[in-house]
């Protein structure tokens, strides 16, 4: 809906890339310090504060009078999200043994996907009603304002719920200190995380999978506008993608047992690349729905597997830091790739977006095949 808000303010396809950049840029600087803070001081305060900041940023989207104001609000949204997600992922990582991380992150990702199913449907429906009633203003022709107000209310309820989360994701502070190695043997922190075997490949896989999802979310409105798709149909496509991601994340644990982590992730990235490449030319609407469903399945597999991969590779008392490193890598991708995609689309047309994402997923499939993921 931020993309539609930007289009209503006469943003170009290339400027949508800058909108995506604003969402991710601040996170690059703060994610790792936040992860260290969570490892040392606990997760609850960062989670509550981050959700509250997201609510304020949502209202900022509704009030934005120009593209610069919208970009500022979007930057605040991304900053709030990074505070919240680092805390939440740390709680999930510490909620049980490392071998069960796939199932826990699968359920966590499924819950996120459920929100992503409902969000586009509700937002698209509200926008269509506003447009049909002739209530959409000249600076908001796509009827996005009610969505941002609803998002702010949801964030307020989420912040209240987060007050009941555990302060320390790994138990009480005293228990965590007792479990840490003696002085002199404790890993150095960030350097230890980065030196973990094949961590670079895990971070690359995570970055591409998440960025592919975000690029589709950012650019699908522009692609839809070019191809004559309504706001409602674009919302349906995004909801279909999220619904299939939800379904596959619920079943992450049995899929891992059946196929193994590495074959599952290699195959998912390869199939996802093929589906996106097939979407490059203009297609009948029903074909786009089918291909978006396939994309949702494969991208849904990738997120929990990469989260668990990164978490398992780090010492227990540095898991929040490791997950923050993952988020930083993701944000680097979310900063650079959308801008690059927007530049390519400005030259070659919006369909080139699918070509670029397909190529990135192919590279990820190759990297995972050559990793030590088990």
């Amino acid at each position: 809906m931020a993309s539609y808000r930007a289009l209503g303010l006469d943003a170009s396809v290339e400027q949508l890339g800058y909108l995506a950049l604003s969402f991710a840029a601040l996170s690059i600087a703060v994610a790792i310090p936040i992860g260290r803070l969570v490892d040392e001081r606990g997760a609850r305060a960062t989670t509550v504060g981050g959700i509250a900041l997201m609510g304020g940023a949502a209202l900022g989207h509704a009030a934005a009078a120009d593209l610069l104001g919208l970009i500022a609000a979007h930057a605040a949204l991304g900053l709030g999200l990074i505070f919240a997600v680092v805390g939440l992922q740390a709680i999930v990582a510490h909620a049980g043994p490392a071998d069960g991380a796939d199932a826990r992150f699968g359920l966590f990702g499924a819950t996120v996907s459920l929100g992503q199913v409902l969000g586009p449907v509700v937002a698209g429906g509200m926008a269509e009603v506003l447009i049909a009633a002739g209530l959409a203003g000249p600076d908001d022709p796509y009827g996005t304002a009610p969505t941002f107000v609803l998002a702010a209310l949801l964030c307020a309820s989420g912040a209240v719920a987060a007050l009941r989360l555990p302060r320390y994701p790994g138990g009480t502070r005293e228990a965590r200190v007792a479990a840490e190695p003696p002085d002199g043997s404790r890993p150095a922190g960030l350097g230890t995380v980065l030196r973990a075997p094949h961590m670079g490949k895990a971070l690359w896989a995570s970055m591409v999978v998440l960025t592919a999802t975000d690029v589709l979310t950012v650019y699908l409105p522009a692609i839809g506008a070019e191809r004559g798709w309504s706001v409602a149909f674009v919302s349906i496509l995004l909801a279909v993608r999220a619904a299939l991601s939800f379904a596959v994340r619920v079943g992450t644990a049995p899929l891992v047992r059946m196929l193994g982590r590495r074959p599952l992730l290699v195959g998912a990235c390869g199939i996802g690349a093929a589906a996106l490449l097939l979407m490059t030319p203009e297609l009948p609407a029903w074909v786009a729905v089918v291909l978006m469903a396939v994309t949702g399945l494969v991208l849904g597999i990738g997120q929990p597997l990469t989260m668990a991969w990164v978490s398992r590779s780090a010492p227990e008392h540095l898991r929040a830091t490791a997950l923050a490193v993952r988020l930083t890598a993701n944000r680097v991708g979310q900063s650079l790739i959308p801008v690059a995609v927007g530049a390519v689309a400005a030259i070659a047309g919006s369909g080139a977006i699918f070509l670029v994402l397909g190529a990135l997923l192919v590279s990820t499939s190759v990297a995972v095949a050559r990793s030590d993921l088990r």
Side-chain angles (χ1 to χ4, degrees):
M1 297 310 288
S3 295
Y4 276 119
R5 184 80 178 95
L7 292 172
L9 294 170
D10 298 323
S12 66
V13 174
E14 187 175 3
Q15 286 171 328
L16 291 182
Y18 299 135
L19 185 68
L21 170 63
S22 70
F23 179 81
L26 289 177
S27 305
I28 296 171
V30 302
I32 293 174
I34 293 170
R36 297 292 290 152
L37 180 67
V38 169
D39 278 325
E40 294 294 332
R41 303 289 182 180
R44 187 169 60 205
T46 59
T47 303
V48 173
I51 297 172
L53 178 57
M54 290 172 65
L59 293 177
H61 283 70
D66 53 33
L67 190 59
L68 186 60
L70 183 64
I71 287 175
H74 214 52
L77 182 70
L79 185 62
L81 183 64
I82 205 75
F83 271 91
V85 167
V86 170
L88 291 170
Q89 289 186 2
I91 291 169
V92 174
H94 283 281
D99 287 345
D102 297 302
R104 293 196 303 277
F105 280 116
L107 183 59
F108 179 79
T111 308
V112 173
S113 294
L114 183 59
Q116 291 172 335
V117 172
L118 299 175
V121 173
V122 172
M126 291 170 66
E128 291 289 354
V129 169
L130 205 68
I131 293 169
L135 299 176
D139 63 340
D140 188 23
Y142 294 101
T144 64
T147 295
F148 299 127
V149 174
L150 175 60
L153 293 173
L154 290 171
C155 285
S157 68
V160 172
L163 289 170
R164 303 190 65 182
L165 290 170
R167 180 178 178 186
Y168 292 106
T172 66
R173 177 62 183 159
E174 291 76 12
R176 295 177 69 224
V177 169
E180 289 173 358
D183 289 343
S185 65
R186 181 174 176 174
L190 178 60
T192 301
V193 170
L194 294 175
R195 287 192 297 270
H198 293 267
M199 180 63 78
K201 293 175 181 177
L203 294 174
W204 174 256
S206 174
M207 180 184 73
V208 170
V209 168
L210 184 69
T211 304
T213 303
D214 283 0
V215 167
L216 285 174
T217 303
V218 169
Y219 283 109
L220 208 57
I223 294 169
E226 185 177 294
R227 296 185 178 184
W229 297 341
S230 67
V231 175
F233 182 69
V234 170
S235 299
I236 288 170
L237 288 178
L238 291 173
V240 165
R241 182 204 61 75
L244 272 295
S245 291
F246 168 78
V248 77
R249 285 169 181 171
V250 170
T252 296
L255 284 171
V256 167
R257 288 194 297 268
M258 186 185 310
L259 301 173
R261 295 182 179 92
R262 184 167 57 183
L264 183 59
L265 191 54
V266 169
C269 292
I271 294 170
L276 288 169
L277 291 173
L278 289 172
M279 290 185 71
T280 303
E282 291 197 32
L283 299 166
W286 71 268
V287 178
V289 171
V290 171
L291 292 175
M292 191 60 70
V294 173
T295 302
L297 277 173
V298 299
L299 294 180
I301 290 171
Q303 189 181 34
L305 288 183
T306 56
M307 280 194 288
W309 187 6
V310 171
S311 174
R312 287 197 314 271
S313 299
E316 182 175 356
H317 66 281
L318 292 175
R319 285 181 184 171
T321 301
L323 290 165
V325 171
R326 171 187 174 272
L327 287 168
T328 301
N330 290 346
R331 293 302 187 259
V332 170
Q334 288 172 306
S335 298
L336 300 180
I337 293 175
V339 174
V341 166
V344 171
I347 297 171
S350 61
I353 292 168
F354 298 117
L355 185 64
V356 175
L357 293 180
L360 288 172
L361 282 174
V362 168
S363 73
T364 302
S365 186
V366 172
V368 176
R370 300 177 64 182
S371 76
D372 66 343
L373 179 62
R374 295 288 184 271

Short mmCIF file of all heavy atoms in Angstrom, two decimals, residues 236-289:
data_model
loop_
_atom_site.label_atom_id
_atom_site.label_comp_id
_atom_site.label_asym_id
_atom_site.label_seq_id
_atom_site.Cartn_x
_atom_site.Cartn_y
_atom_site.Cartn_z
N ILE A 236 -4.89 -9.77 -4.56
CA ILE A 236 -5.13 -11.23 -4.60
C ILE A 236 -3.84 -11.97 -4.88
O ILE A 236 -3.53 -12.99 -4.25
CB ILE A 236 -6.20 -11.57 -5.65
CG1 ILE A 236 -7.58 -11.10 -5.16
CG2 ILE A 236 -6.22 -13.06 -5.94
CD1 ILE A 236 -8.66 -11.17 -6.21
N LEU A 237 -3.03 -11.47 -5.83
CA LEU A 237 -1.75 -12.12 -6.14
C LEU A 237 -0.85 -12.16 -4.91
O LEU A 237 -0.24 -13.21 -4.60
CB LEU A 237 -1.04 -11.38 -7.28
CG LEU A 237 -1.62 -11.54 -8.68
CD1 LEU A 237 -0.82 -10.69 -9.67
CD2 LEU A 237 -1.60 -13.00 -9.12
N LEU A 238 -0.76 -11.05 -4.19
CA LEU A 238 0.08 -11.01 -3.00
C LEU A 238 -0.47 -11.92 -1.91
O LEU A 238 0.29 -12.58 -1.19
CB LEU A 238 0.19 -9.58 -2.49
CG LEU A 238 0.99 -8.62 -3.38
CD1 LEU A 238 0.88 -7.19 -2.86
CD2 LEU A 238 2.45 -9.04 -3.46
N ALA A 239 -1.79 -11.97 -1.80
CA ALA A 239 -2.40 -12.84 -0.79
C ALA A 239 -2.19 -14.31 -1.13
O ALA A 239 -1.94 -15.14 -0.24
CB ALA A 239 -3.89 -12.54 -0.67
N VAL A 240 -2.27 -14.67 -2.41
CA VAL A 240 -2.02 -16.05 -2.85
C VAL A 240 -0.58 -16.45 -2.51
O VAL A 240 -0.32 -17.54 -1.99
CB VAL A 240 -2.30 -16.21 -4.35
CG1 VAL A 240 -1.70 -17.50 -4.88
CG2 VAL A 240 -3.80 -16.16 -4.62
N ARG A 241 0.38 -15.54 -2.81
CA ARG A 241 1.77 -15.83 -2.48
C ARG A 241 1.93 -16.08 -0.99
O ARG A 241 2.55 -17.06 -0.55
CB ARG A 241 2.68 -14.67 -2.91
CG ARG A 241 4.16 -14.93 -2.63
CD ARG A 241 4.95 -13.66 -2.49
NE ARG A 241 4.50 -12.81 -1.40
CZ ARG A 241 4.74 -13.07 -0.12
NH1 ARG A 241 5.40 -14.15 0.24
NH2 ARG A 241 4.30 -12.24 0.81
N ALA A 242 1.35 -15.21 -0.17
CA ALA A 242 1.48 -15.34 1.27
C ALA A 242 0.76 -16.58 1.80
O ALA A 242 1.24 -17.24 2.72
CB ALA A 242 0.94 -14.09 1.96
N ALA A 243 -0.39 -16.91 1.21
CA ALA A 243 -1.15 -18.08 1.66
C ALA A 243 -0.36 -19.37 1.44
O ALA A 243 -0.31 -20.25 2.31
CB ALA A 243 -2.49 -18.16 0.93
N LEU A 244 0.30 -19.48 0.29
CA LEU A 244 1.09 -20.68 0.03
C LEU A 244 2.33 -20.70 0.89
O LEU A 244 2.78 -21.78 1.32
CB LEU A 244 1.44 -20.76 -1.45
CG LEU A 244 0.41 -21.47 -2.37
CD1 LEU A 244 0.30 -22.95 -2.00
CD2 LEU A 244 -0.96 -20.82 -2.29
N SER A 245 2.91 -19.53 1.18
CA SER A 245 4.03 -19.48 2.11
C SER A 245 3.60 -19.94 3.50
O SER A 245 4.32 -20.68 4.18
CB SER A 245 4.60 -18.05 2.20
OG SER A 245 5.23 -17.67 0.99
N PHE A 246 2.42 -19.51 3.92
CA PHE A 246 1.88 -19.95 5.20
C PHE A 246 1.75 -21.46 5.24
O PHE A 246 2.19 -22.12 6.19
CB PHE A 246 0.53 -19.29 5.45
CG PHE A 246 -0.23 -19.87 6.60
CD1 PHE A 246 0.10 -19.54 7.91
CD2 PHE A 246 -1.28 -20.76 6.38
CE1 PHE A 246 -0.60 -20.07 8.98
CE2 PHE A 246 -1.99 -21.30 7.44
CZ PHE A 246 -1.64 -20.96 8.74
N ALA A 247 1.16 -22.03 4.20
CA ALA A 247 0.91 -23.47 4.18
C ALA A 247 2.20 -24.27 4.26
O ALA A 247 2.31 -25.24 5.03
CB ALA A 247 0.13 -23.84 2.92
N VAL A 248 3.20 -23.86 3.49
CA VAL A 248 4.44 -24.64 3.45
C VAL A 248 5.24 -24.46 4.74
O VAL A 248 5.94 -25.37 5.18
CB VAL A 248 5.28 -24.26 2.21
CG1 VAL A 248 6.00 -22.94 2.39
CG2 VAL A 248 6.28 -25.37 1.88
N ARG A 249 5.13 -23.29 5.39
CA ARG A 249 5.88 -23.08 6.63
C ARG A 249 5.30 -23.90 7.77
O ARG A 249 6.04 -24.36 8.65
CB ARG A 249 5.89 -21.59 6.98
CG ARG A 249 6.83 -20.80 6.10
CD ARG A 249 6.67 -19.31 6.25
NE ARG A 249 7.58 -18.59 5.36
CZ ARG A 249 7.55 -17.29 5.15
NH1 ARG A 249 6.62 -16.55 5.76
NH2 ARG A 249 8.40 -16.71 4.33
N VAL A 250 3.99 -24.11 7.77
CA VAL A 250 3.39 -24.99 8.78
C VAL A 250 3.96 -26.39 8.65
O VAL A 250 4.16 -27.10 9.64
CB VAL A 250 1.86 -25.00 8.63
CG1 VAL A 250 1.24 -26.09 9.51
CG2 VAL A 250 1.28 -23.64 9.01
N GLY A 251 4.25 -26.81 7.41
CA GLY A 251 4.78 -28.15 7.17
C GLY A 251 6.28 -28.21 7.04
O GLY A 251 6.82 -29.19 6.48
N THR A 252 7.02 -27.21 7.54
CA THR A 252 8.47 -27.19 7.38
C THR A 252 9.14 -28.40 8.00
O THR A 252 9.99 -29.04 7.38
CB THR A 252 9.05 -25.90 8.00
OG1 THR A 252 8.57 -24.77 7.28
CG2 THR A 252 10.58 -25.92 7.93
N ALA A 253 8.78 -28.73 9.24
CA ALA A 253 9.45 -29.83 9.94
C ALA A 253 9.32 -31.16 9.20
O ALA A 253 10.33 -31.84 8.97
CB ALA A 253 8.92 -29.94 11.37
N PRO A 254 8.12 -31.60 8.77
CA PRO A 254 8.04 -32.87 8.03
C PRO A 254 8.76 -32.82 6.69
O PRO A 254 9.33 -33.83 6.25
CB PRO A 254 6.54 -33.09 7.84
CG PRO A 254 5.86 -31.83 8.22
CD PRO A 254 6.78 -31.11 9.13
N LEU A 255 8.77 -31.68 6.02
CA LEU A 255 9.50 -31.57 4.76
C LEU A 255 11.00 -31.74 4.97
O LEU A 255 11.68 -32.40 4.17
CB LEU A 255 9.21 -30.22 4.10
CG LEU A 255 7.86 -30.06 3.41
CD1 LEU A 255 7.64 -28.61 2.99
CD2 LEU A 255 7.76 -30.98 2.19
N VAL A 256 11.51 -31.16 6.05
CA VAL A 256 12.94 -31.31 6.36
C VAL A 256 13.27 -32.77 6.65
O VAL A 256 14.29 -33.31 6.18
CB VAL A 256 13.33 -30.41 7.55
CG1 VAL A 256 14.71 -30.78 8.09
CG2 VAL A 256 13.31 -28.95 7.12
N ARG A 257 12.41 -33.44 7.42
CA ARG A 257 12.65 -34.87 7.73
C ARG A 257 12.60 -35.72 6.47
O ARG A 257 13.35 -36.68 6.31
CB ARG A 257 11.62 -35.36 8.74
CG ARG A 257 11.83 -34.82 10.16
CD ARG A 257 11.00 -35.61 11.16
NE ARG A 257 9.57 -35.46 10.91
CZ ARG A 257 8.81 -34.53 11.46
NH1 ARG A 257 9.35 -33.66 12.31
NH2 ARG A 257 7.52 -34.47 11.21
N MET A 258 11.71 -35.38 5.55
CA MET A 258 11.52 -36.18 4.35
C MET A 258 12.64 -35.98 3.32
O MET A 258 13.14 -36.95 2.73
CB MET A 258 10.17 -35.83 3.72
CG MET A 258 9.76 -36.70 2.54
SD MET A 258 8.21 -36.11 1.78
CE MET A 258 7.16 -35.95 3.23
N LEU A 259 13.04 -34.73 3.10
CA LEU A 259 13.93 -34.42 1.99
C LEU A 259 15.33 -33.99 2.43
O LEU A 259 16.27 -34.09 1.64
CB LEU A 259 13.32 -33.30 1.13
CG LEU A 259 11.95 -33.61 0.51
CD1 LEU A 259 11.39 -32.36 -0.18
CD2 LEU A 259 12.05 -34.75 -0.48
N GLY A 260 15.47 -33.48 3.64
CA GLY A 260 16.74 -32.92 4.08
C GLY A 260 16.81 -31.44 3.78
O GLY A 260 16.21 -30.96 2.82
N ARG A 261 17.55 -30.70 4.59
CA ARG A 261 17.57 -29.25 4.46
C ARG A 261 18.17 -28.78 3.15
O ARG A 261 17.62 -27.91 2.47
CB ARG A 261 18.33 -28.63 5.65
CG ARG A 261 17.66 -28.85 6.99
CD ARG A 261 18.43 -28.17 8.12
NE ARG A 261 17.77 -28.37 9.41
CZ ARG A 261 18.06 -29.37 10.24
NH1 ARG A 261 19.00 -30.24 9.90
NH2 ARG A 261 17.41 -29.49 11.39
N ARG A 262 19.33 -29.31 2.79
CA ARG A 262 20.00 -28.80 1.60
C ARG A 262 19.24 -29.12 0.32
O ARG A 262 19.00 -28.21 -0.50
CB ARG A 262 21.44 -29.33 1.53
CG ARG A 262 22.22 -28.74 0.34
CD ARG A 262 23.71 -29.00 0.47
NE ARG A 262 24.00 -30.42 0.59
CZ ARG A 262 25.22 -30.92 0.76
NH1 ARG A 262 26.25 -30.11 0.85
NH2 ARG A 262 25.41 -32.22 0.87
N PRO A 263 18.81 -30.37 0.08
CA PRO A 263 18.03 -30.62 -1.15
C PRO A 263 16.75 -29.80 -1.21
O PRO A 263 16.34 -29.33 -2.27
CB PRO A 263 17.71 -32.13 -1.06
CG PRO A 263 18.77 -32.69 -0.18
CD PRO A 263 19.08 -31.62 0.82
N LEU A 264 16.12 -29.60 -0.05
CA LEU A 264 14.86 -28.84 -0.01
C LEU A 264 15.10 -27.39 -0.41
O LEU A 264 14.36 -26.83 -1.24
CB LEU A 264 14.27 -28.91 1.40
CG LEU A 264 12.92 -28.23 1.63
CD1 LEU A 264 11.85 -28.82 0.73
CD2 LEU A 264 12.51 -28.38 3.11
N LEU A 265 16.16 -26.76 0.11
CA LEU A 265 16.43 -25.37 -0.20
C LEU A 265 16.94 -25.19 -1.62
O LEU A 265 16.56 -24.23 -2.31
CB LEU A 265 17.42 -24.80 0.81
CG LEU A 265 17.63 -23.29 0.80
CD1 LEU A 265 16.30 -22.55 0.93
CD2 LEU A 265 18.58 -22.87 1.93
N VAL A 266 17.78 -26.11 -2.07
CA VAL A 266 18.27 -26.05 -3.46
C VAL A 266 17.11 -26.16 -4.45
O VAL A 266 16.98 -25.37 -5.39
CB VAL A 266 19.30 -27.16 -3.72
CG1 VAL A 266 19.61 -27.28 -5.22
CG2 VAL A 266 20.59 -26.88 -2.97
N GLY A 267 16.23 -27.13 -4.22
CA GLY A 267 15.09 -27.31 -5.11
C GLY A 267 14.13 -26.15 -5.07
O GLY A 267 13.61 -25.71 -6.11
N ALA A 268 13.89 -25.60 -3.87
CA ALA A 268 12.97 -24.48 -3.75
C ALA A 268 13.46 -23.27 -4.54
O ALA A 268 12.69 -22.64 -5.28
CB ALA A 268 12.79 -24.11 -2.28
N CYS A 269 14.75 -22.95 -4.41
CA CYS A 269 15.28 -21.79 -5.13
C CYS A 269 15.25 -22.01 -6.64
O CYS A 269 14.95 -21.09 -7.41
CB CYS A 269 16.71 -21.50 -4.67
SG CYS A 269 16.81 -20.90 -2.97
N GLY A 270 15.54 -23.24 -7.08
CA GLY A 270 15.50 -23.53 -8.52
C GLY A 270 14.09 -23.42 -9.10
O GLY A 270 13.88 -22.83 -10.17
N ILE A 271 13.12 -23.98 -8.40
CA ILE A 271 11.73 -23.92 -8.87
C ILE A 271 11.22 -22.47 -8.83
O ILE A 271 10.52 -22.02 -9.74
CB ILE A 271 10.83 -24.83 -8.01
CG1 ILE A 271 11.22 -26.30 -8.23
CG2 ILE A 271 9.35 -24.63 -8.35
CD1 ILE A 271 10.57 -27.26 -7.25
N GLY A 272 11.59 -21.74 -7.77
CA GLY A 272 11.19 -20.34 -7.70
C GLY A 272 11.74 -19.52 -8.84
O GLY A 272 11.05 -18.66 -9.40
N ALA A 273 12.99 -19.77 -9.20
CA ALA A 273 13.60 -19.06 -10.34
C ALA A 273 12.82 -19.33 -11.62
O ALA A 273 12.54 -18.41 -12.40
CB ALA A 273 15.06 -19.49 -10.50
N ALA A 274 12.45 -20.59 -11.84
CA ALA A 274 11.71 -20.94 -13.06
C ALA A 274 10.35 -20.24 -13.09
O ALA A 274 9.93 -19.71 -14.14
CB ALA A 274 11.53 -22.46 -13.12
N ALA A 275 9.65 -20.21 -11.95
CA ALA A 275 8.33 -19.57 -11.90
C ALA A 275 8.44 -18.08 -12.20
O ALA A 275 7.61 -17.52 -12.95
CB ALA A 275 7.69 -19.80 -10.54
N LEU A 276 9.44 -17.41 -11.63
CA LEU A 276 9.59 -15.98 -11.87
C LEU A 276 9.97 -15.69 -13.31
O LEU A 276 9.48 -14.71 -13.91
CB LEU A 276 10.64 -15.41 -10.91
CG LEU A 276 10.20 -15.33 -9.44
CD1 LEU A 276 11.39 -15.02 -8.55
CD2 LEU A 276 9.12 -14.27 -9.27
N LEU A 277 10.83 -16.50 -13.88
CA LEU A 277 11.22 -16.28 -15.28
C LEU A 277 10.02 -16.43 -16.21
O LEU A 277 9.90 -15.71 -17.21
CB LEU A 277 12.33 -17.26 -15.67
CG LEU A 277 13.69 -17.01 -15.00
CD1 LEU A 277 14.66 -18.14 -15.33
CD2 LEU A 277 14.28 -15.67 -15.42
N LEU A 278 9.11 -17.35 -15.88
CA LEU A 278 7.92 -17.54 -16.70
C LEU A 278 6.96 -16.35 -16.61
O LEU A 278 6.12 -16.15 -17.49
CB LEU A 278 7.19 -18.82 -16.28
CG LEU A 278 7.88 -20.14 -16.66
CD1 LEU A 278 7.16 -21.32 -16.03
CD2 LEU A 278 7.92 -20.30 -18.18
N MET A 279 7.10 -15.53 -15.57
CA MET A 279 6.23 -14.37 -15.40
C MET A 279 6.76 -13.13 -16.14
O MET A 279 6.10 -12.10 -16.15
CB MET A 279 6.05 -14.04 -13.92
CG MET A 279 5.22 -15.06 -13.17
SD MET A 279 4.89 -14.58 -11.45
CE MET A 279 3.73 -13.24 -11.69
N THR A 280 7.91 -13.24 -16.76
CA THR A 280 8.51 -12.08 -17.44
C THR A 280 7.61 -11.51 -18.53
O THR A 280 7.36 -10.30 -18.57
CB THR A 280 9.90 -12.43 -18.00
OG1 THR A 280 10.72 -12.92 -16.93
CG2 THR A 280 10.56 -11.22 -18.64
N PRO A 281 7.11 -12.33 -19.46
CA PRO A 281 6.19 -11.77 -20.47
C PRO A 281 4.79 -11.60 -19.89
O PRO A 281 4.46 -12.19 -18.85
CB PRO A 281 6.20 -12.84 -21.58
CG PRO A 281 6.49 -14.11 -20.86
CD PRO A 281 7.40 -13.75 -19.72
N GLU A 282 3.96 -10.82 -20.56
CA GLU A 282 2.57 -10.68 -20.12
C GLU A 282 1.84 -11.99 -20.30
O GLU A 282 1.96 -12.66 -21.34
CB GLU A 282 1.89 -9.56 -20.91
CG GLU A 282 2.41 -8.17 -20.57
CD GLU A 282 1.48 -7.07 -21.04
OE1 GLU A 282 0.25 -7.31 -21.06
OE2 GLU A 282 1.98 -5.99 -21.40
N LEU A 283 1.06 -12.36 -19.30
CA LEU A 283 0.38 -13.65 -19.28
C LEU A 283 -1.08 -13.47 -18.92
O LEU A 283 -1.47 -12.45 -18.33
CB LEU A 283 1.04 -14.57 -18.22
CG LEU A 283 2.52 -14.90 -18.42
CD1 LEU A 283 3.08 -15.50 -17.13
CD2 LEU A 283 2.69 -15.89 -19.56
N PRO A 284 -1.92 -14.45 -19.24
CA PRO A 284 -3.30 -14.40 -18.75
C PRO A 284 -3.32 -14.35 -17.23
O PRO A 284 -2.42 -14.86 -16.56
CB PRO A 284 -3.90 -15.73 -19.27
CG PRO A 284 -3.04 -16.11 -20.43
CD PRO A 284 -1.68 -15.62 -20.12
N ALA A 285 -4.36 -13.75 -16.70
CA ALA A 285 -4.43 -13.53 -15.26
C ALA A 285 -4.34 -14.84 -14.48
O ALA A 285 -3.66 -14.91 -13.45
CB ALA A 285 -5.73 -12.79 -14.92
N TRP A 286 -5.01 -15.90 -14.97
CA TRP A 286 -5.02 -17.14 -14.21
C TRP A 286 -3.63 -17.77 -14.15
O TRP A 286 -3.26 -18.40 -13.14
CB TRP A 286 -6.03 -18.13 -14.80
CG TRP A 286 -5.65 -18.72 -16.13
CD1 TRP A 286 -5.98 -18.23 -17.36
CD2 TRP A 286 -4.88 -19.89 -16.37
NE1 TRP A 286 -5.45 -19.02 -18.35
CE2 TRP A 286 -4.77 -20.06 -17.78
CE3 TRP A 286 -4.25 -20.83 -15.54
CZ2 TRP A 286 -4.08 -21.11 -18.36
CZ3 TRP A 286 -3.55 -21.88 -16.12
CH2 TRP A 286 -3.48 -22.01 -17.51
N VAL A 287 -2.83 -17.58 -15.21
CA VAL A 287 -1.46 -18.10 -15.20
C VAL A 287 -0.62 -17.35 -14.16
O VAL A 287 0.19 -17.94 -13.44
CB VAL A 287 -0.82 -17.99 -16.60
CG1 VAL A 287 0.62 -18.49 -16.56
CG2 VAL A 287 -1.63 -18.78 -17.61
N ALA A 288 -0.82 -16.04 -14.08
CA ALA A 288 -0.10 -15.24 -13.08
C ALA A 288 -0.43 -15.72 -11.67
O ALA A 288 0.45 -15.79 -10.80
CB ALA A 288 -0.44 -13.76 -13.24
N VAL A 289 -1.69 -16.07 -11.43
CA VAL A 289 -2.09 -16.56 -10.11
C VAL A 289 -1.38 -17.87 -9.79
O VAL A 289 -0.85 -18.08 -8.69
CB VAL A 289 -3.62 -16.74 -10.03
CG1 VAL A 289 -4.01 -17.45 -8.72
CG2 VAL A 289 -4.32 -15.39 -10.12
#
